[in-house]
Amino acid sequence: MKTKSGKVLYVIVVALFLVFTIGPFVWAFLISVTPEFEMFKNTMKMLPSKVNWENYITLFTTSSRQSKILFQGMSNSLKAVGITLLIGLPVAMMSAYALARLEFRGKKLIKNAVLITMVIPVFATVIPLYRIFVSYHLLDKIFWLSLVYASSFLPMSVWLMLNYFSTIPVEIEEAARVDGCGRIRTFFEILLPVAYPVVISSALIMFLSAWNQFQIPLILASSFQTKPVSIVTSEFMVKDSIQYGITAAAGLLAIVPPAATALILRKYLVSGMTRGTGK
């Protein structure tokens, strides 16, 4: 009896999980293929009477305004993500290694400070950042926007790598140094190959976080050349009307790059996590 009730509870929990996770995407897709005039009908029907692909055709028509806005936003987001990873990942790896392996004055204070900065809300720093950007003429520049992203994601990445590096036996590095490897060579040739699962995890977190940023670029990026896709998808709403269908279609297309990246890296994460550090 308990087994049967447990199975029923499991099915209910899974069903609720799917409704709250997949449901919004299904709803957005239905809106994107529903004709505009049909959305405002007084009806209980969820499915459109006729599937309309016009919104997707418009977005993939290079001469249309919506297509230019969407793909320029995607290009801006990819540039920002690339710069964020190039800056943030090496800094996070070296910082985590130093905190995990080296002994120096103030180490405990720095570790606690890194942990505390993880709970500082974005809105607490946006206004000071805006003042700094205005003072030094840094607004609407992808590089400086990416630098803000990297600094925002560093605490989480450093803490993840720090905890992982701490679990790797010190004897591995000591054996490498006995064989003549310096600390830098040991880090790149011995430690990183063992710790690649957490490096990939941190890279994925940075990628997804930078791609989904909204508050920071909303304040620091106002031009067409720097706005990320998270901002431009909301600009299909004009002054007199809201284009629900094309906004939903653009939103679905905007999640394709991060979703594909997560699926590609997932197998590396799974295979990497199953290998022991002793190997």
Side-chain angles (χ1 to χ4, degrees), residues 205-274:
I205 290 172
M206 284 189 180
F207 181 95
L208 297 178
S209 300
W211 187 273
N212 294 325
Q213 275 298 316
F214 187 84
Q215 294 96 339
I216 293 176
L218 184 64
I219 303 297
L220 303 180
S222 58
S223 69
F224 179 69
Q225 286 73 25
T226 55
K227 286 180 182 178
V229 69
S230 58
I231 301 295
V232 300
T233 50
S234 64
E235 295 187 347
F236 294 113
M237 304 178 188
V238 295
K239 181 180 179 181
D240 300 323
S241 64
I242 300 176
Q243 299 172 304
Y244 293 102
I246 202 164
T247 302
L252 290 175
L253 292 176
I255 67 172
V256 171
T261 303
L263 288 174
I264 292 170
L265 293 181
R266 178 177 173 273
K267 64 178 182 180
Y268 295 105
L269 288 173
V270 173
S271 63
M273 289 296 184
T274 56

Side-chain angles (χ1 to χ4, degrees), residues 146-209:
S146 304
L147 195 62
V148 174
Y149 289 170
S151 64
S152 302
F153 312 145
L154 269 178
M156 174 66 74
S157 300
V158 169
W159 197 255
L160 282 175
M161 294 186 186
L162 168 62
N163 291 332
Y164 196 93
F165 287 159
S166 300
T167 64
I168 299 175
V170 181
E171 290 77 11
I172 295 178
E173 296 179 61
E174 292 176 348
R177 284 198 287 271
V178 169
D179 290 338
C181 290
R183 189 174 291 277
I184 296 177
R185 186 179 176 187
T186 301
F187 175 73
F188 284 103
E189 295 187 8
I190 305 299
L191 199 66
L192 281 187
V194 175
Y196 80 89
V198 74
V199 174
I200 294 177
S201 299
S202 299
L204 183 58
I205 290 172
M206 284 189 180
F207 181 95
L208 297 178
S209 300

Side-chain angles (χ1 to χ4, degrees), residues 28-269:
F29 175 74
L30 291 176
I31 292 175
S32 69
V33 296
T34 301
E36 291 285 337
F37 68 89
E38 196 171 329
M39 292 182 192
F40 303 101
K41 282 185 175 181
N42 188 14
T43 178
M44 294 296 292
K45 291 182 179 180
M46 292 290 294
L47 299 177
S49 58
K50 181 182 179 182
V51 176
N52 179 26
W53 299 101
E54 189 63 33
N55 294 319
Y56 292 96
I57 294 172
T58 301
L59 290 175
F60 282 105
T61 302
T62 56
S63 59
S64 67
R65 182 185 69 88
Q66 293 89 341
S67 177
K68 292 177 181 178
I69 292 175
L70 176 64
F71 286 100
Q72 180 63 44
M74 283 192 176
S75 175
N76 295 337
S77 293
L78 287 174
K79 291 176 184 177
V81 167
I83 297 172
T84 301
L85 290 175
L86 287 175
I87 297 174
L89 208 56
V91 173
M93 289 189 295
M94 291 184 288
S95 301
Y97 177 76
L99 292 172
R101 287 290 191 257
L102 304 182
E103 294 297 332
F104 52 90
R105 184 178 298 178
K107 174 181 174 179
K108 186 175 181 181
L109 178 63
I110 294 174
K111 289 173 69 173
N112 292 333
V114 170
L115 184 61
I116 291 171
T117 54
M118 291 170 59
V119 299
I120 298 177
V122 175
F123 288 108
T125 60
V126 166
I127 294 176
L129 279 172
Y130 179 76
R131 294 293 301 272
I132 293 171
F133 271 57
V134 170
S135 300
Y136 292 96
H137 307 287
L138 304 178
L139 289 173
D140 290 332
K141 294 179 179 170
I142 292 180
F143 176 81
W144 297 109
L145 182 65
S146 304
L147 195 62
V148 174
Y149 289 170
S151 64
S152 302
F153 312 145
L154 269 178
M156 174 66 74
S157 300
V158 169
W159 197 255
L160 282 175
M161 294 186 186
L162 168 62
N163 291 332
Y164 196 93
F165 287 159
S166 300
T167 64
I168 299 175
V170 181
E171 290 77 11
I172 295 178
E173 296 179 61
E174 292 176 348
R177 284 198 287 271
V178 169
D179 290 338
C181 290
R183 189 174 291 277
I184 296 177
R185 186 179 176 187
T186 301
F187 175 73
F188 284 103
E189 295 187 8
I190 305 299
L191 199 66
L192 281 187
V194 175
Y196 80 89
V198 74
V199 174
I200 294 177
S201 299
S202 299
L204 183 58
I205 290 172
M206 284 189 180
F207 181 95
L208 297 178
S209 300
W211 187 273
N212 294 325
Q213 275 298 316
F214 187 84
Q215 294 96 339
I216 293 176
L218 184 64
I219 303 297
L220 303 180
S222 58
S223 69
F224 179 69
Q225 286 73 25
T226 55
K227 286 180 182 178
V229 69
S230 58
I231 301 295
V232 300
T233 50
S234 64
E235 295 187 347
F236 294 113
M237 304 178 188
V238 295
K239 181 180 179 181
D240 300 323
S241 64
I242 300 176
Q243 299 172 304
Y244 293 102
I246 202 164
T247 302
L252 290 175
L253 292 176
I255 67 172
V256 171
T261 303
L263 288 174
I264 292 170
L265 293 181
R266 178 177 173 273
K267 64 178 182 180
Y268 295 105
L269 288 173

